[in-house]
Amino acid sequence: MMLLSGHTSARTGLGRRAVRPRNGTGSTDLRTLRGRLLALVCCLAVLMVGTLVRTRPFVPESRSSEVRRTAVLGQLLVVVLLGSLTYAIIGAPRRGWSAPPILTCLAAAMVALAVFAVWERNCPQPLVDLHFFRSVPFTGSVVISVASFAALGGYLFVSTLYLQDVRGMSAFAAGLWMLPMPLMTVACAPVAGRLSGSQGPRMPLVLAGVAMASSGLLMAVCHGQDRAVSLCLAYALFGAGIGLMDVPATALAVAGMPRTRAGTASAVTMAACRIGVVLGVAPFGAVLSLGLTHGLHPGPGGRLAFTAAFGQAEQPVWWIVTGCGAAVALLGLCVTGTWARATAHRSAGALDGAPAAGHTRT
């Protein structure tokens, strides 16, 4: 089962990075964009069909016997929370944290979070049953997913800007330089599946955190982006970290859960990954913009001054990546022990006595 999850993770990891670099002129030709999107859709369709065919004989059905209504209010509150928070983080460096639009968005995000927590606790059919978070492995899985994919989103964002705006590469050349990252993700995902199946999720999670933290340190301390070999090594290390993290994080989420709730638990971690990317690009971009007074264009000092300014501005980004990797490794140690597994069993007992959530009528 873990090996199948590893192959699935490898496919989705490759798909996430299929069209990442942007056009070097700041825009993309419409015909080129349509071609890329069509190719991506075709690849994803083939991968989905292949995954269904390969996993259907081995993966048991986990659908709940009880059909639930769509949690409209819960979804709207999440949209308001994430939309307001993302806008505030992106706009704060330019407008200032005390600007009325930023304060309004932050207030809206806090109100949405408070209302969401109260509503989900009292709603008979919540969007996410809060009993899930009584399980330490499940909560750890969500935090690990957010931290890892926040680092991934920021890493790809800053790397693309560096390769295209500092080094002056085309989108195609930038994609080739970043190729070690998805290749290592594809190569390490099945390894993570085998390790999780034979030894549990602790080892691959710790290795993933160490790999991501090492990549951040290589960029922050050793200025790995200045040399071709060290830059490729940094990309390879980070890609290996993502590949080693994805499968055991999902395994943590469903560990000890009732069979009817395994799909919901897995879906929450997948949503956490997407939220992590959004919350990664926004603050990483905000941190980077603080050090670029003239934006992504050379100021009065010319190209050399811009290159130096970008090198200084990106330093905090790599330290954040290092911190995210260290957090993944530490959580991998803390949420996989005996005490953590006991909380998962207690949470499963509470979920067995609660009505199923997260399943909608089709």
Side-chain angles (χ1 to χ4, degrees):
M1 180 73 71
M2 292 299 177
L3 182 59
L4 289 172
S5 300
H7 286 297
T8 304
S9 176
R11 294 190 187 100
T12 56
L14 186 60
R16 289 187 192 112
R17 299 160 182 82
V19 292
R20 183 69 64 178
R22 63 186 183 86
N23 186 282
T25 62
S27 63
T28 302
D29 180 75
L30 183 59
R31 188 176 301 174
T32 303
L33 180 60
R34 286 176 176 172
R36 290 181 181 179
L37 291 176
L38 179 60
L40 180 59
V41 169
C42 293
C43 289
L44 291 177
V46 172
L47 293 176
M48 289 175 63
V49 172
T51 301
L52 289 173
V53 171
R54 291 193 60 182
T55 60
R56 188 173 182 83
F58 306 100
V59 179
E61 180 60 65
S62 60
R63 180 183 301 171
S64 174
S65 58
E66 185 177 359
V67 179
R68 314 301 295 175
R69 295 181 300 175
T70 302
V72 178
L73 180 58
Q75 294 180 21
L76 290 176
L77 289 171
V78 171
V79 170
V80 173
L81 169 62
L82 295 178
S84 301
L85 183 60
T86 303
Y87 181 87
I89 294 173
I90 293 175
R94 180 169 57 91
R95 296 173 176 265
W97 288 101
S98 59
I102 303 303
L103 292 177
T104 301
C105 287
L106 291 175
M110 289 188 290
V111 170
L113 178 61
V115 174
F116 179 79
V118 174
W119 175 257
E120 294 297 294
R121 181 179 292 274
N122 298 294
C123 178
Q125 296 180 356
L127 178 66
V128 179
D129 195 327
L130 298 182
H131 286 98
F132 278 113
F133 293 94
R134 294 182 181 181
S135 166
V136 171
F138 176 84
T139 305
S141 171
V142 172
V143 176
I144 287 171
S145 299
V146 171
S148 299
F149 279 84
L152 173 63
Y155 205 114
L156 291 172
F157 178 72
V158 176
S159 293
T160 303
L161 293 179
Y162 171 75
L163 293 173
Q164 295 187 240
D165 290 283
V166 177
R167 289 201 169 188
M169 296 182 183
S170 66
F172 180 74
L176 289 179
W177 273 92
M178 297 173 68
L179 198 57
M181 190 183 298
L183 288 179
M184 288 301 294
T185 300
V186 171
C188 290
V191 176
R194 284 191 288 268
L195 286 175
S196 297
S198 61
Q199 302 185 33
R202 172 174 289 186
M203 179 178 290
L205 285 176
V206 172
L207 291 175
V210 170
M212 286 188 279
S214 299
S215 178
L217 285 173
L218 186 60
M219 299 289 261
V221 177
C222 303
H223 301 283
Q225 61 271 43
D226 295 339
R227 293 174 296 277
V229 174
S230 57
L231 181 62
C232 291
L233 177 60
Y235 288 156
L237 282 172
F238 195 85
I242 293 296
L244 290 169
M245 177 280 307
D246 211 0
V247 175
T250 304
L252 268 182
V254 302
M257 291 292 173
R259 185 171 175 176
T260 56
R261 302 301 185 93
T264 304
S266 178
V268 172
T269 60
M270 293 298 101
C273 295
R274 278 53 181 178
I275 293 171
V277 172
V278 173
L279 297 182
V281 172
F284 277 58
V287 169
L288 185 66
S289 66
L290 291 174
L292 297 175
T293 55
H294 298 284
L296 293 174
H297 304 284
R303 170 64 60 178
L304 290 177
F306 170 70
T307 300
F310 192 95
Q312 291 294 324
E314 68 177 345
Q315 284 296 104
V317 169
W318 304 127
W319 285 112
I320 296 173
V321 170
T322 303
C324 289
V328 170
L330 182 61
L331 285 171
L333 289 173
C334 295
V335 303
T336 53
T338 304
W339 169 77
R341 289 194 296 270
T343 65
H345 291 302
R346 289 196 296 269
S347 175
L351 288 168
D352 273 334
H359 298 276
T360 59
R361 187 180 299 274
T362 58

